[in-house]
Amino acid sequence: MNAWNAILMGCSAGGLTALQHVLAELDPDIPQPILVCCHTGSADVALLCELLARHSRLPVEEARERAPVRGGVVHVAPSGYHLLVEPTLRFALSVDDKVAYSRPSIDVMFESATDAFQGHLVAVLMTGANADGAEGLAYVRRHHGYAVVQDPASAEASAMPQAGLDIAGADACVPLNAIAGTLNRLCLP
């Protein structure tokens, strides 16, 4: 058994395409829960879930208040709420102030999940037009999680992965087409 209990993914501008690419290549036997925070600007995340499900070999669903975090499922943060993971490994939703101009915030999700999973997770920061996720990625790394950052040169919007590298560094900095393979190597039993 590997040491990673969860996979986290954060993205913004260009995120739909990036997530579709990664989820299409993830092995369907990945046992970890996958938590996704993508800034969409939409009031409803149902369409994002539907578009991701068309490409994913794992089930995709919107994370809901008090629902359990389930392995082998892609859980997507709902629009307008911060997604938190409680110590009981259930989701909590918050309407606290925006962080890095965002709600849901990648930083909030990364930090909450790191605490809940006691650092045993892999966090992925991909394309995006702001710095949300960089501080959360640093938090993941300080708590012995593994940080994967999309090579900014392969990102539709390079600001987010570049901020991640500048603030947190990375255990792996790879182009978009290598992220799924990296996760498969790290996370398959």
Side-chain angles (χ1 to χ4, degrees):
M1 183 68 183
N2 59 63
W4 311 117
N5 293 329
I7 299 168
L8 313 177
M9 295 183 187
C11 55
S12 181
L16 172 61
T17 300
L19 287 167
Q20 287 174 328
H21 186 87
V22 172
L23 293 177
E25 298 297 321
L26 273 184
D27 191 296
D29 293 327
I30 291 264
Q32 292 85 358
I34 300 168
L35 282 59
V36 173
C37 182
C38 180
H39 305 159
T40 65
S42 169
D44 186 4
V45 77
L47 179 59
L48 175 63
C49 291
E50 181 183 319
L51 293 171
L52 293 178
R54 291 180 189 170
H55 295 266
S56 178
R57 296 189 288 169
L58 295 160
V60 177
E61 58 188 45
E62 180 178 345
R64 302 202 182 276
E65 179 77 25
R66 303 292 309 142
V69 179
R70 296 185 299 133
V73 174
V74 179
H75 302 277
V76 181
S79 298
Y81 295 91
H82 293 306
L83 181 62
L84 303 135
V85 181
E86 297 178 333
T88 58
L89 300 184
R90 289 186 175 274
F91 291 116
L93 304 179
S94 162
V95 291
D96 286 346
D97 291 343
K98 291 181 177 182
V99 174
Y101 309 102
S102 303
R103 188 177 57 225
S105 164
I106 300 165
D107 284 333
V108 169
M109 185 184 81
F110 277 13
E111 291 173 16
S112 169
T114 297
D115 291 343
F117 286 103
Q118 301 175 350
H120 298 288
L121 47 77
V122 178
V124 182
L125 194 59
M126 297 185 290
T127 182
N130 70 11
D132 186 25
E135 293 294 339
L137 196 68
Y139 191 83
V140 167
R141 293 195 81 205
R142 283 196 304 273
H143 291 83
H144 312 292
Y146 192 93
V148 178
V149 175
Q150 180 181 359
D151 182 343
S154 78
E156 186 173 318
S158 63
M160 186 174 285
Q162 189 60 58
L165 291 174
D166 292 345
I167 292 171
D171 297 292
C173 178
V174 297
L176 178 62
N177 64 8
I179 292 174
T182 300
L183 294 174
N184 288 338
R185 281 190 299 279
L186 287 170
C187 297
L188 284 170

